Amino acid sequence: MKKSSTSVQELPGAAGHLPHPPPAWRPRTDPAPLLPDPEPYRVLGTDAAAGADPALLLRLYAELVRGRRYNTQATALTKQGRLAVYPSSTGQEACQIAAALVLREQDWLFPSYRDTLAAVARGLDPVQALTLLRGDWHTGYDPHEHRIAPLSTPLATQLPHAVGLAHAARLKGDDVVALALVGDGGTSEGDFHEALNFAAVWRVPVVFLVQNNGFAISVPLSKQSAAPSLAHKAVGYGMPGRLVDGNDVVAVHTVLGEALARAGRGEGPTLVEALTYRIDAHTNADDATRYRAGDEVEIWRAHDPVRLLEHELTARGVLDEDGIGKAAEAAEAMAARLRDRMNAEPVLDPMDLFAHVYAHQTAQLREQAAQLRAELEASADEGSEESSDEGSGEGRAEGSGETR
Amino acid sequence: MKKSSTSVQELPGAAGHLPHPPPAWRPRTDPAPLLPDPEPYRVLGTDAAAGADPALLLRLYAELVRGRRYNTQATALTKQGRLAVYPSSTGQEACQIAAALVLREQDWLFPSYRDTLAAVARGLDPVQALTLLRGDWHTGYDPHEHRIAPLSTPLATQLPHAVGLAHAARLKGDDVVALALVGDGGTSEGDFHEALNFAAVWRVPVVFLVQNNGFAISVPLSKQSAAPSLAHKAVGYGMPGRLVDGNDVVAVHTVLGEALARAGRGEGPTLVEALTYRIDAHTNADDATRYRAGDEVEIWRAHDPVRLLEHELTARGVLDEDGIGKAAEAAEAMAARLRDRMNAEPVLDPMDLFAHVYAHQTAQLREQAAQLRAELEASADEGSEESSDEGSGEGRAEGSGETR
Amino acid sequence: MTTVAVKPATMAEALRRAMRDAMAEDPSVHVLGEDVGTLGGVFRITDGLAAEFGDDRCTDTPLAEAGILGTAVGMAMYGLRPVVEMQFDAFAYPSFEQLISHVAKMRNRTRGAMPLPITVRVPYGGGIGGVEHHSDSSEAYYMATPGLHVVTPATVDDAYGLLRAAIASDDPVIFLEPKRLYWSKAQWSPDEPAEVDPIGRAVVRRRGSSATLITYGPSVPVCLEAAEAARAEGWDLEVVDLRSLVPFDDETVAASVRRTGRAVVVHESTGFGGPGGEIAARVTERCFHYLEAPVLRVAGFDIPYPPPMLERHHLPGVDRVLDAVARLQWETES
Amino acid sequence: MTTVAVKPATMAEALRRAMRDAMAEDPSVHVLGEDVGTLGGVFRITDGLAAEFGDDRCTDTPLAEAGILGTAVGMAMYGLRPVVEMQFDAFAYPSFEQLISHVAKMRNRTRGAMPLPITVRVPYGGGIGGVEHHSDSSEAYYMATPGLHVVTPATVDDAYGLLRAAIASDDPVIFLEPKRLYWSKAQWSPDEPAEVDPIGRAVVRRRGSSATLITYGPSVPVCLEAAEAARAEGWDLEVVDLRSLVPFDDETVAASVRRTGRAVVVHESTGFGGPGGEIAARVTERCFHYLEAPVLRVAGFDIPYPPPMLERHHLPGVDRVLDAVARLQWETES
Ligand SMILES: Cc1ncc(C[n+]2csc(CCOP(=O)(O)OP(=O)(O)O)c2C)c(N)n1
Ligand SMILES: Cc1ncc(C[n+]2csc(CCOP(=O)(O)OP(=O)(O)O)c2C)c(N)n1
Ligand SMILES: [Mg+2]
Ligand SMILES: [Mg+2]
């Protein structure tokens, strides 16, 4: 609404072109505070660890253990044909758990396809979280219930959504922050750029967490970006970039917590890059040996997020064998429940195909629904409906269903 | 092809999770050399001016004067209905001229719709450069002739083209650099992001010049970006960013020259932000008083690119009244020629509509061409073809044709 | 409700008024896009909205169409009703991934839990002397995307009514604005605007008995003119203005064609793969035994949109419509 | 040339071989896309190309589809022949601005001075149990964009021949690969591959006299199966595999329909606004007086592509094709 007359700097005299720098558009903010530290922030194994709240650490530990078990269980379910595909977050549990636990009730999480664990740790029923990957529906839950946006498969497209939601909440005067997750590969998409720019220009209460796990399917980071770090991208939008050890759950929790608090204070968005590693293949269908050397995995295993915290807790005497055992038991129970529930055949209604295309079914969809209903009735009469194998699964083979 | 085992840093011992930072993905390059200087680079009015080659300065001066006259002439042509629309580069001539003159014969220029002057200064026939804006065809020239890509209207889309062309040239072993122009508004598009990222990852010999003229139609820079400067975006791609006084033709020429040389040496791309100002409205059809205060324009007029260089040259005694007059005369002659040629009715062949859709006309297009031919013959028989006013121009009014 | 004709108003004014009234009635309606605020849009359709409702309700965005639409998705997720302006048809293309993969699908993906009441206003079509990329007719892309409603007004009244209906809709609506009709005028009272028409209803603009012209948006005035001219040839043409491409009003269209026995689909979009194929096919499916001749199509040629000086050769005009009518096999008539 | 059947080969192998042979013959052919290098693509279609020709000829790109296609445009401007792989149908959408505004138009914009011989390979369609956004049929978008060629193979032979033709074409070609046929097999000799077919020719896959099934890509095997099943009902169906959606082979299609007098268009893409409307309309325009019944369409429903466990209800199968054939008004026959 206001006409622009912003940063133009008055010149001493109209005639004096010469000794003056160009009148406007000079650097408006100091880049220094936006630059990430050269070393990723760490807590575990540093002096900062001493200051951490033991209750929080124990909670994080229990969740990490459950999270790891969730990952192995979901992977097992693919082998039993109970999931169409599973993109594991094994090795990235610190990011997943910290992201889930750092959020307040009213905040929103914007996950990608790899982030079902974060959704589950935030309180979502794992069966609902896995609906997409089981294949009975797309989004298996009401996003409003736990304030978790649908798992996003088209890369980086969820980032502008997070910006828009947090922007809307602020316009309505609500104290809500959005946390959006994206992978290292996703940072190359135009949507990443546009989302961060909108967020910074409008000072939207949103935090972007890049889980840099080193790979986008087979493509290593070195073919994805030449930036000093992905966190350095923040500078180009005028927001601070933070670099954190993504396997150090306490560090991720702390950095995200600070960023969320900053956002909540109206100071705008932050870009956080968590350095982590995708221990498993891209999904169960992928063959990672085609593109990476095994020793890399071993090196990262030595920096395992669960073990890192366990070491800290046992060294401090906060956790003992008994506690470790209890955590493992709880995780095992969760896995058993999950396995049982996923083994139950989901109840499907083919008519759902037409139920939610529009608020009001169009005449055309009513016709098509009637057609399918008639077909189903006819085949039920023949008693052949359930055994029909036409279509689905046909042509599955190497490579198919590999990505998601 | 090679399996990744890149930046992973060996850990001292497999068991030792603790005191170690995360094993990989740490900052790979030092961001410091990538950061632009806080002050835009200037030559005129500084000590550096003394070192500049007088012959180059005189050449730049003559081109600036011609360029300014070209802008006023083209704007006049819109009033006479000889151009459908003209997006003037008045005030930005230093960028246009420096970009054109700094390129070598074999290099490529990727202009946007506002950059016809750069194309003309590179040697393109101004009538051909203005074809798009006159409306008789889209691109009025063979891009290969002067190695000037078609003027790009969809914002920032020309940037990946520049990257691809320069990449291809390098793959073929040719010593070719591409210079791509984009506006401050265009930097917000996803294509900007993707192009710069590809360029940096592949170390493509390309230079990106952002003419930051403060506005994207009505939207001021402050609503476009919160970055310290647009040049700071370079850091996020791992390429150097340079900030330059965009009204100081010598400074722009120098900075672009260095960036092009760097690219030519195989050291990769550079992002250059030139600080300048759009003195005229967005196009002749735009009304800039709706969104900007007049004093801003006056302040920038005092930093006029033509006058800045003129002052330098006269102060150094390289240019006198006579020289100024001669430059003005040459510019006037160019303008008169342009006016005359643009006053001639362009010769149009409606059958061209079908000539270049595909290499080989499809059966369908042959049918459609025959239909149009028959219609044209029928209306020629009625003698009404030339006076037909059906369609074109209909409904023109305020706002229409405003942007391009 | 009958409208009280106070003074001639343009379609542009009716559109502006529709947004204004929607914003005044419903605080969740937000307008966003490039230059929509201070400038009031390059076609001035949002003129005055920022002044009346503030920058937060009518917002100049950064220049990034995927970002604009993606941000609107997020706003809609939180309960707002965003009205997005795409500056020109071709500049909506960067937003297609957001449109196809999210806007059109979100309600379905979430079993109705997350509807997206977004209106995307797209000025479309040619005839205004625009340079390349400023005159595309992109409706085929939207029509082929289930989950979207696609509407386009041809009159000042409908501009108001349909835009109100689009903004009120709980589903995403692509609102196609025929650029060359922006300054078309009609007697129209902004103080007593026409009732909000439900989306999905075609309207017979002219009654006739010889053949039906099926059309929409910028081609409606062309068809009405053609129908007038056809009287000289002895043809009494019916003109159906579809208004809503999705959902499609099969009932109105089929009823007309059954009555007349002949039909021509007229639009400016390219013919091959354009809307006319779908329309002709579904009319034929429903009216086969009533048809005296195949449903013909008059459309833009299958070429990229021409430069300003040649566009009149591309745009379907009265003569081409009459030519097609003449080819409706009148000789076979009893 | 007759092919010597050496061993059963998959469509995936034929596609790979087509690229390999093109790259070996012409150093200007470059393959680029996500994961096409080291991994050989998620469907392994580019397997071995980087090993044989090096990273510069078969290149893993950053993850950005507009960037990939835009870069390919620049490469083509400099005389290369880029072959772009889009990883899945829906992930081509981010590149639509580059595709519509540049790839399709560049030759025209420059009066032929700057042709863009780019092949865009798009795995498309469903039936492989893919989660959302992995099974779209996007051909309607491409068909509605003048300046593109759009082809899709249904057989192993055509996979090789059409891809060679696409890469050799001086125009941009959208090469749609039916995902669920990747692993379909045929006797095929990679050492003596079939001649390169010119783009734009449909082929009659099965001769018949009762009615014509017009189809392409993943629905060709469905139609052939339906034709076999139809024999039991006393129908002798002709099956036309379009192969090329643009340019469209009106001649072959119309000749068939004139002969049989009845036609059904079958495709997996959604019906409304999908390719079937265009096909049915143009067949009707050309064959009206030969038709005993309206041209019917069997297509995917007008819904977002369903989740894996429900996709079989969406995909047009043999039964739906036969149902449509049964509705071709046989009773009216003399
Ligand atoms: C727009 C888009 N393009 C391509 C894909 C296919 N795809 C799925 S996952 C993936 C790699 C993603 O890498 P990254 O962002 O690093 O996330 P990660 O898988 O490592 O968690 C690709 C290319 C997609 N889902 N969306
Ligand atoms: C993709 C796209 N979106 C929108 C437009 C409409 N448009 C034309 S010029 C312009 C402003 C461009 O601003 P900037 O990049 O700063 O360049 P300048 O006009 O200042 O040279 C806009 C929004 C366009 N041409 N392309
Ligand atoms: Mg990754
Ligand atoms: Mg600008």
Side-chain angles (χ1 to χ4, degrees), chain C residues 65 90-91 93-94 96-97 100-102 104-105 108-109 132-133 136 140-147 245-248 270-274 276-278 280-282 284-286 288-289 291-297 301-305 329 332, chain D residues 65 90-91 93-94 96-97 100-102 104-105 108-109 132-133 136 140-147 245-248 270-274 276-278 280-282 284-286 288-289 291-297 301-305 329 332:
Chain C
E65 293 79 9
F91 307 142
Y93 302 154
F96 268 24
E97 183 189 31
I100 301 170
S101 293
H102 289 299
K105 293 184 171 147
N108 186 254
R109 296 170 71 200
E132 58 171 355
H133 310 297
D136 284 14
Y141 303 128
Y142 303 118
M143 284 175 71
T145 308
L245 295 172
V246 184
F248 192 88
T270 55
F272 190 89
E278 176 62 42
R282 52 197 310 120
T284 306
E285 281 158 12
R286 283 160 182 74
F288 186 69
H289 291 292
L291 285 173
E292 306 285 344
V295 178
L296 296 183
R297 292 180 284 167
F301 295 124
D302 299 331
I303 59 174
Y305 197 86
Q329 311 189 358
T332 70
Chain D
E65 293 79 8
F91 307 143
Y93 302 155
F96 268 24
E97 183 188 32
I100 301 170
S101 293
H102 289 298
K105 293 184 172 145
N108 186 253
R109 296 170 71 199
E132 58 172 354
H133 310 297
D136 284 15
Y141 304 128
Y142 303 117
M143 282 175 69
T145 308
L245 296 173
V246 185
F248 192 87
T270 56
F272 190 88
E278 176 62 42
R282 53 196 310 120
T284 307
E285 281 159 12
R286 283 161 182 73
F288 187 68
H289 292 291
L291 286 173
E292 306 285 344
V295 178
L296 296 184
R297 293 180 283 167
F301 295 124
D302 299 332
I303 59 174
Y305 196 87
Q329 312 189 357
T332 70

Side-chain angles (χ1 to χ4, degrees), chain A residues 92 113-114 183-186 211-217 219 278:
Chain A
Q92 300 176 221
Y113 52 90
R114 197 179 296 289
D184 46 305
Q211 290 175 77
N212 176 358
N213 62 7
F215 288 91
I217 308 185
V219 178
R278 199 193 72 206

Side-chain angles (χ1 to χ4, degrees), chain D residues 85-154:
Chain D
E85 174 173 304
M86 293 290 165
Q87 203 160 77
F88 282 86
D89 25 59
F91 307 143
Y93 302 155
S95 70
F96 268 24
E97 183 188 32
Q98 285 290 345
L99 188 80
I100 301 170
S101 293
H102 289 298
V103 174
K105 293 184 172 145
M106 191 68 82
R107 172 187 289 278
N108 186 253
R109 296 170 71 199
T110 60
R111 289 184 199 267
M114 201 159 239
L116 295 181
I118 299 175
T119 301
V120 185
R121 293 180 39 242
V122 184
Y124 82 121
I128 62 157
V131 302
E132 58 172 354
H133 310 297
H134 286 73
S135 299
D136 284 15
S137 289
S138 40
E139 55 267 37
Y141 304 128
Y142 303 117
M143 282 175 69
T145 308
L148 302 177
H149 287 315
V150 184
V151 303
T152 180

Side-chain angles (χ1 to χ4, degrees), chain A residues 3 18 25 190 194 276 289 311, chain B residues 3 18 25 190 194 289 311:
Chain A
K3 293 192 184 179
L18 257 188
W25 326 141
E194 301 187 9
T276 181
T289 64
H311 187 289
Chain B
K3 292 193 185 180
L18 259 188
W25 326 141
E194 301 187 8
T289 64
H311 186 290

